[in-house]
């Protein structure tokens, strides 16, 4: 990636201009940067951000100038079938600039050419121009570098526990992959009262972080008998297995760790041609596999709650954040992500 100077359009009727304070580096961005998932180029990645509202469009009613906000890629229109049935994360309609002749949000200052916006946000930039339903107001006392990671990693991990798994206190959970999303999932499982939380990751330092965030047991996910270890620890397998890394072997481990009647929830972005499935015996054992896009979040309600969890000491965001870096070191941050040895890197902009 390179740093360039861009012009940002004025807010449309339902748009919000935000001065970005911080933005987390997410593995989802890396999938687009490396070309594993397609996206029109050139573009500005970044989607896990927090900042301060600078200006609002004429019809905006949800936030005002000066508000601290967290952005979320689950922009919603509020009118479609998904929205009115409470499945906001599945909405595809919240973009006032779609359609013939719609002006671009971002252009290059050097030649006026259009720069594409990624995932409704493009947060690796000093300013974001987004739909009002792609952000939500939060407690102004919340530190914005911590708030940023709530916008994706924590919303997804917590949503997998609270919304998709609907975990009942005392149930057992296995979390496969202890990056930002996986660690947030473990923390949420502890908040929800899981009876046993087993973290699976090949790296010892990630397993150590998992224990700090609430895991009761850890195993090496690359061990050939990893699934057997989980089954033995839980005397039959877990009620919920949550895959949080996006590797085919991780999905297989999640399914193999289930008890009869258990559910595997796949959060990671798998290779586009990969399928996660159940055997005939799994089906006869009433096991299930499900997706949970962005943790099936309803972020205008859930993000302020997660902020409150942090402010009350229930949600540990400080452990999830491994480092804070300036924008100029963004490529270094993604290089470290590829190595897999640390949790979240967060870009902090000068305020």
């Amino acid at each position: 990636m390179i740093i360039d100077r861009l012009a940002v359009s004025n807010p449309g009727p339902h748009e919000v201009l935000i001065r970005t304070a911080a933005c987390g580096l997410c593995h989802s961005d890396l999938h687009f940067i490396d070309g594993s998932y397609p996206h029109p180029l050139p573009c500005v990645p970044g989607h896990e951000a927090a900042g301060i509202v600078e200006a609002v469009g004429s019809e905006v009613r949800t936030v005002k100038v000066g508000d601290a906000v967290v952005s979320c890629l689950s922009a919603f229109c509020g009118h479609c079938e998904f929205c009115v049935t409470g499945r906001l994360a599945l909405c595809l309609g919240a973009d006032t600039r779609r359609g013939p002749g719609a002006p671009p949000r971002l252009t290059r200052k050097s030649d006026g050419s259009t720069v594409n916006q990624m995932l409704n946000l493009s947060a690796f930039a000093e300013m974001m121009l987004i739909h009002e339903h792609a952000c939500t107001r939060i407690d102004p006392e919340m530190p914005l570098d911590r708030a940023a990671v709530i916008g994706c990693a924590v919303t997804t991990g917590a949503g997998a526990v609270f919304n998709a798994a609907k975990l009942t206190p005392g149930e057992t959970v296995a979390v496969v992959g202890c990056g930002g999303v996986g660690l947030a999932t473990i923390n949420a499982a502890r908040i929800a009262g899981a009876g046993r939380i087993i973290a699976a990751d090949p790296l010892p330092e990630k397993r150590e972080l998992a224990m700090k965030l609430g895991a009761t047991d850890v195993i090496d996910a690359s061990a050939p008998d990893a699934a057997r270890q989980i089954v033995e620890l839980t005397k039959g397998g877990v009620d919920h297995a949550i895959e949080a890394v996006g590797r085919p072997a991780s999905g297989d481990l999640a399914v193999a760790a289930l008890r009869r009647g258990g559910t595997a929830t796949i959060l990671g972005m798998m290779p586009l041609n990969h399928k996660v499935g159940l055997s005939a015996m799994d089906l006869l054992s009433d096991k299930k596999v499900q997706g949970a896009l962005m943790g099936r979040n309803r972020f205008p309600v859930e993000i302020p709650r997660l902020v409150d969890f942090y402010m009350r000491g229930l949600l540990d965001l400080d452990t999830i954040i491994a480092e804070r870096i300036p924008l100029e070191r963004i490529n270094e941050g993604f290089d470290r992500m590829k190595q897999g040895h640390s949790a979240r890197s967060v870009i902090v902009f000068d305020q």
Side-chain angles (χ1 to χ4, degrees), residues 302-342:
E302 293 168 9
I303 286 179
R305 286 179 179 172
L306 292 168
V307 167
D308 182 59
F309 283 169
Y310 175 79
M311 301 293 279
R312 292 163 52 198
L314 297 173
L315 184 65
D316 183 359
L317 302 177
D318 300 272
T319 297
I320 292 175
I321 298 174
E323 64 174 357
R324 295 163 179 81
I325 59 175
L327 182 64
E328 290 74 17
R329 292 175 53 200
I330 187 170
N331 288 312
E332 297 174 33
F334 278 111
D335 286 341
R336 276 189 291 280
M337 180 186 292
K338 292 175 185 178
Q339 296 166 7
H341 291 283
S342 62

Side-chain angles (χ1 to χ4, degrees), residues 133-301:
H133 290 163
C135 66
T136 190
R137 181 172 50 213
I138 61 168
D139 185 338
E141 299 299 316
M142 177 70 181
L144 293 179
D145 57 339
R146 280 77 146 187
V149 299
I150 293 179
C152 179
V154 179
T155 291
T156 300
V161 172
F162 302 146
N163 301 330
K166 298 186 184 299
L167 188 142
T168 299
E171 288 185 324
T172 52
V173 182
V175 179
V176 184
C178 297
V181 174
L183 292 173
T185 303
I186 291 164
N187 200 172
R190 178 174 67 180
I191 294 170
R196 199 159 194 172
I197 305 169
I198 303 169
D201 196 281
L203 299 175
E205 53 266 47
K206 293 284 190 69
R207 298 197 293 269
E208 184 177 340
L209 288 174
M211 291 293 290
K212 188 174 181 181
L213 283 162
T216 58
D217 308 89
V218 293
I219 65 165
D220 182 349
S222 63
D225 65 341
R228 182 181 62 79
Q229 290 184 51
I230 296 173
V231 171
E232 289 181 354
L233 281 169
T234 54
K235 296 180 173 56
V238 293
D239 298 293
H240 303 283
I242 299 175
E243 194 282 338
V245 65
R247 294 195 177 111
S250 301
D252 294 340
L253 176 56
V255 171
L258 294 175
R259 67 180 299 171
R260 290 169 64 84
T263 300
T265 302
I266 308 299
L267 299 179
M269 294 172 68
M270 295 283 181
L272 287 169
N273 61 353
H274 180 68
K275 296 180 181 179
V276 179
L278 298 172
S279 69
M281 187 56 68
D282 290 331
L283 294 171
L284 289 171
S285 300
D286 199 18
K287 297 178 184 180
K288 296 175 282 294
V289 173
Q290 63 179 355
L293 177 63
M294 285 292 293
R296 298 182 186 169
N297 72 82
R298 297 173 291 269
F299 78 85
V301 173

Side-chain angles (χ1 to χ4, degrees), residues 8-62:
V8 183
S9 181
N10 293 322
H14 288 280
E15 291 179 325
V16 180
L17 182 67
I18 299 166
R19 180 167 296 279
T20 314
C23 183
L25 274 58
C26 178
H27 216 103
S28 300
D29 292 307
L30 188 59
H31 285 306
F32 290 108
I33 292 165
D34 284 349
S36 302
Y37 277 65
H39 195 281
L41 297 174
C43 70
V44 179
H47 62 275
E48 186 180 79
I52 302 296
V53 175
E54 291 266 307
V56 299
S58 59
E59 301 302 314
V60 171
R61 301 292 182 268
T62 56

